[in-house]
Amino acid sequence: MDLAWMAWTWHTAIFFVAIFLLIAGMGVWEYARPGGAPRVGLLRFETTRGDRLFVSLLGSAFICLAWLGLVGTSLWWALAVCLAYAICVFRWV
């Protein structure tokens, strides 16, 4: 299979490994403490840990895309914004 169509660099490898580890970590967390403690937060509907992870990953993708379009290609500050956003989602959503 020819995988030359995608830029497989260590950056993309770290990205996919991080997503895999997040999902695996959520699976372990769910196994250790089933139920996920559903709660109603800022969005006014019930969310679980998995829902909050999905919302934080989706929002982070949009933050990075907006950063690329408005600021430039250095995404280190965007990563900091994404981490702050994820903390806020897990805290208040």
Side-chain angles (χ1 to χ4, degrees):
M1 181 186 317
D2 183 26
L3 297 176
W5 60 271
M6 186 170 174
W8 288 103
T9 64
W10 66 273
H11 301 93
T12 56
I14 288 174
F15 173 77
F16 284 109
V17 167
I19 297 296
F20 173 78
L21 289 175
L22 281 170
I23 293 171
M26 291 297 284
V28 169
W29 192 4
E30 184 64 29
Y31 181 77
R33 293 189 180 230
R39 66 175 186 237
V40 177
L42 191 67
L43 297 177
R44 301 291 180 225
F45 61 87
E46 193 173 89
T47 60
T48 63
R49 288 187 291 246
D51 298 331
R52 292 187 290 274
L53 176 65
F54 177 75
V55 168
S56 64
L57 288 174
L58 188 64
S60 295
F62 285 116
I63 289 169
C64 287
L65 286 173
W67 192 276
L68 285 171
L70 299 172
V71 178
T73 57
S74 179
L75 291 174
W76 290 111
W77 286 105
L79 177 63
V81 172
C82 291
L83 288 174
Y85 171 74
I87 290 169
C88 290
V89 165
F90 271 88
R91 177 92 174 133
W92 292 301
V93 172

